[in-house]
Amino acid sequence: MLDLAIRNARIVTAADRYVADIGIRDGRIVEIAERVGEAREEIDATGLWAMPGGIDAHVHLAQPQGGGVVMADDFETGTRSAAAGGNTTVLPFALQQKGQTLREAVQAYHEQAEGKCHVDVSFHLIITDPTPQVLGQELPALIKDGYTSFKVFMTYDDMILNDAELLEVFDTAQREKALVMVHAEGHDAIKFMTRKLEEAGRTAPYYHAISHSAVAEREATHRAISHAELTDVPIVIVHVSGREPMEQIQWAKRRGRRIFAETCPQ
């Protein structure tokens, strides 16, 4: 006896589209056939699509933004939206605040998510305070617990890591077999351009793009790649937004480096 039979679904896979029944037992698909057996519960999916659930690997939920501002979506609304869009797993970030231990950060986000999630949730870490204790004890222990990816920032006053800190984090990731995600923008270049624009009274939203020049993203992307090469660790350059940083990533891949990237469609 099946737990659930989904009847007459229009099944969509990576290669095919066809109508069939889906049989589920103990939370797993155990049979796909023109007609599966009897089940304790049945859903008539005539005219509906059945397809694999999506995994959104870059989500920010309930995250402080500084100055008392918090992301609009919490775990309830964010995961409800994910489910409506066909995503069955999301990976938001557990942000370590300056002076906070990584364990405290992870625990705080788990408490916020408890009882509110409509889909599966796991976490990337965000490291903003890579103290010797964090890199020597907390991060290796959390990686062993399954938190195998974490993000670092090359800009933003309250999140930026300098080059020495980036290298220490990369080195820890290499030793512990973890994956580093990098927000690659040149902090000093952005601050320089921002100051010049503000002094000229150019503060309209348009000038945000001018202050965050492609040059700053290209330079930081190359610097992150160089650090990854020096420490022999794979990295993901997140939300790549232009041709110039992408050319740096392509250059690194041609040289056999394990550099990955996600696009920035928004």
Side-chain angles (χ1 to χ4, degrees), residues 75-137:
F75 286 90
E76 198 283 325
T77 62
T79 59
R80 181 153 47 88
S81 297
N87 290 306
T88 54
T89 301
V90 297
L91 284 96
F93 294 82
L95 167 64
Q96 176 203 25
Q97 310 245 24
K98 296 284 187 182
Q100 185 183 38
T101 72
L102 278 178
R103 281 284 181 192
E104 289 170 342
V106 171
Q107 183 61 34
Y109 279 89
H110 274 288
E111 289 173 359
Q112 290 192 69
E114 185 68 30
K116 296 180 180 178
C117 298
H118 298 274
V119 300
D120 290 337
V121 174
S122 187
F123 291 101
H124 305 296
L125 310 176
I126 293 179
I127 300 174
T128 65
D129 199 3
T131 64
Q133 178 180 336
V134 165
L135 297 184
Q137 300 176 28

Side-chain angles (χ1 to χ4, degrees), residues 167-183:
L167 285 164
E168 292 289 353
V169 170
F170 283 22
D171 191 52
T172 301
Q174 193 279 335
R175 186 172 63 251
E176 301 296 333
K177 308 305 180 199
L179 182 66
V180 186
M181 308 166 72
V182 183
H183 177 118

Side-chain angles (χ1 to χ4, degrees), residues 7-240:
R7 306 288 186 189
N8 304 311
R10 185 179 302 160
I11 297 170
V12 180
T13 72
D16 300 300
R17 182 184 299 180
Y18 55 93
V19 175
D21 289 0
I22 302 170
I24 297 169
R25 186 184 300 116
D26 297 328
R28 294 178 178 273
I29 295 173
V30 295
E31 185 180 6
I32 298 177
E34 185 174 343
R35 177 76 182 180
V36 301
E38 296 301 312
R40 295 181 179 86
E41 181 183 359
E42 296 195 2
I43 295 174
D44 182 6
T46 301
L48 302 177
W49 291 2
M51 63 187 72
I55 299 174
D56 195 334
H58 189 147
V59 179
H60 295 273
L61 300 175
Q63 183 176 310
Q65 292 296 98
V69 177
V70 179
M71 290 284 181
D73 271 313
D74 62 11
F75 286 90
E76 198 283 325
T77 62
T79 59
R80 181 153 47 88
S81 297
N87 290 306
T88 54
T89 301
V90 297
L91 284 96
F93 294 82
L95 167 64
Q96 176 203 25
Q97 310 245 24
K98 296 284 187 182
Q100 185 183 38
T101 72
L102 278 178
R103 281 284 181 192
E104 289 170 342
V106 171
Q107 183 61 34
Y109 279 89
H110 274 288
E111 289 173 359
Q112 290 192 69
E114 185 68 30
K116 296 180 180 178
C117 298
H118 298 274
V119 300
D120 290 337
V121 174
S122 187
F123 291 101
H124 305 296
L125 310 176
I126 293 179
I127 300 174
T128 65
D129 199 3
T131 64
Q133 178 180 336
V134 165
L135 297 184
Q137 300 176 28
E138 292 182 30
L139 185 55
L142 284 164
I143 292 170
K144 287 182 173 61
D145 287 347
Y147 301 90
T148 57
S149 54
F150 47 86
K151 186 177 180 183
V152 292
F153 284 77
M154 299 176 74
T155 190
Y156 301 138
D157 289 334
D158 55 349
M159 304 177 85
I160 182 174
L161 303 188
N162 61 39
D163 283 356
E165 291 171 327
L166 288 170
L167 285 164
E168 292 289 353
V169 170
F170 283 22
D171 191 52
T172 301
Q174 193 279 335
R175 186 172 63 251
E176 301 296 333
K177 308 305 180 199
L179 182 66
V180 186
M181 308 166 72
V182 183
H183 177 118
E185 284 188 290
H187 183 71
D188 289 339
I190 291 171
K191 298 286 280 189
F192 171 78
M193 290 298 297
T194 299
R195 178 178 58 80
K196 288 177 66 69
L197 290 165
E198 287 178 344
E199 289 173 351
R202 296 175 175 176
T203 58
Y206 168 82
Y207 293 103
H208 176 80
I210 305 303
S211 66
H212 290 67
S213 166
V215 173
E217 186 179 359
R218 181 192 69 204
E219 176 276 325
T221 299
H222 183 84
R223 186 155 37 100
I225 290 168
S226 299
H227 294 342
E229 183 173 5
L230 193 63
T231 54
D232 191 30
V233 68
I235 63 171
V236 178
I237 307 294
V238 297
H239 42 62
V240 177

